[in-house]
Amino acid sequence: MFAAELLKIRSMPAPRLALIISLALVVVAAVIVAIVGPTGTDASAYYDAPATAASIAVSVGAIVLGAWMIGLEFSSKTMRLAATVQPSRLRLLAVKFACALLLILSYMLVVFALSLLIEALMASIGSVSFPFTTQLDDSISLLLQSLLWGAFAFALALLFRSYTAGLVGTLVFSLLVDPALQLIPTVGKYSFSSAATAIGDLTTGGSSFGTGEPSLALGVALITAAGWLVVVIGAGSARFITRDLG
């Protein structure tokens, strides 16, 4: 079953397109900066611009791939076929979830690795000192947060039994619902985004890429993020187990 999932990842265009588009955005940002040629206090744009492009691309790409991994089966009506390979529905979901995390992690590692190379090259072109350690820490921080959001997208796609609903639902939740939850006193700091940010801050030592203090202690953040995922994945799994696969 695991081998079949890896074969699907290699043969389907979505993962390749996500990678190509993400890298293209980084390259475009670097080219624009090279054309503009910032100087003085703006010279950090030589590496900041491609880094920002990579951050945006990875944040969206992780959600897209997370929802795609399980949502594809529903949209293409192939879930029954997958169940014939692995009759145990719980094990089927566990394999798909593990493959989703592996796919998202591999995608992000490639994007960030090449992005750091491009950033270093651009800093050299602009004769700017490149803060490799800081950029690496920020990349790892965003990687951890994006991995969690990718897992959340997988959970919503499973719950809604739809790739599109999982993708749109995650974007709406991250942009509207979660920020609204954060406005609620006491409860707000236990939102999924707050937990993901606090976990990402493990590498930067503070919130928002090294500025300020994390909103949650690491242990509490891990429990909070795990709690959100367990609830959503649990609800989706229960629906998947009790409903027809059609």
Side-chain angles (χ1 to χ4, degrees), residues 30-221:
V31 170
I32 291 175
V33 171
I35 294 174
V36 174
T39 57
T41 58
D42 296 328
S44 61
Y46 275 102
Y47 57 82
D48 276 339
T52 300
S55 299
I56 295 173
V58 162
S59 297
V60 176
I63 292 174
V64 169
L65 293 177
W68 173 84
M69 192 67 202
I70 185 70
L72 175 68
E73 303 289 358
F74 295 113
S75 62
S76 60
K77 309 295 184 182
T78 57
M79 187 57 79
R80 284 186 182 276
L81 179 61
T84 60
V85 178
Q86 177 48 256
S88 171
R89 295 192 182 187
L90 280 178
R91 187 172 181 181
L92 173 63
L93 292 180
V95 170
K96 287 188 175 295
F97 184 62
C99 288
L101 296 181
L102 179 61
L103 170 61
I104 296 168
L105 183 59
S106 300
Y107 153 76
M108 291 190 296
L109 286 174
V110 172
V111 173
F112 280 133
L114 294 179
S115 174
L116 285 171
L117 288 176
I118 293 173
E119 291 168 39
L121 174 62
M122 293 305 299
S124 176
I125 292 175
S127 299
V128 181
S129 176
F130 180 56
F132 175 78
T133 301
T134 299
Q135 295 300 104
L136 177 62
D137 287 346
D138 287 348
S139 295
I140 296 175
S141 175
L142 185 62
L143 183 150
L144 294 173
Q145 295 177 56
S146 298
L147 184 63
L148 288 171
W149 278 109
F152 193 83
F154 177 97
L156 283 188
L158 172 63
L159 178 61
F160 297 140
R161 297 165 64 93
S162 167
Y163 164 62
T164 302
L167 175 59
V168 174
T170 304
L171 292 175
V172 170
F173 185 89
S174 63
L175 296 175
L176 297 176
V177 178
D178 197 276
L181 289 176
Q182 293 184 46
L183 296 177
I184 303 175
T186 306
V187 176
K189 69 178 183 178
Y190 297 104
S191 70
F192 187 76
S193 179
S194 295
T197 300
I199 293 171
D201 289 340
L202 174 66
T203 62
T204 59
S207 61
S208 301
F209 294 91
T211 60
E213 294 296 327
S215 58
L216 291 175
L218 179 59
V220 177

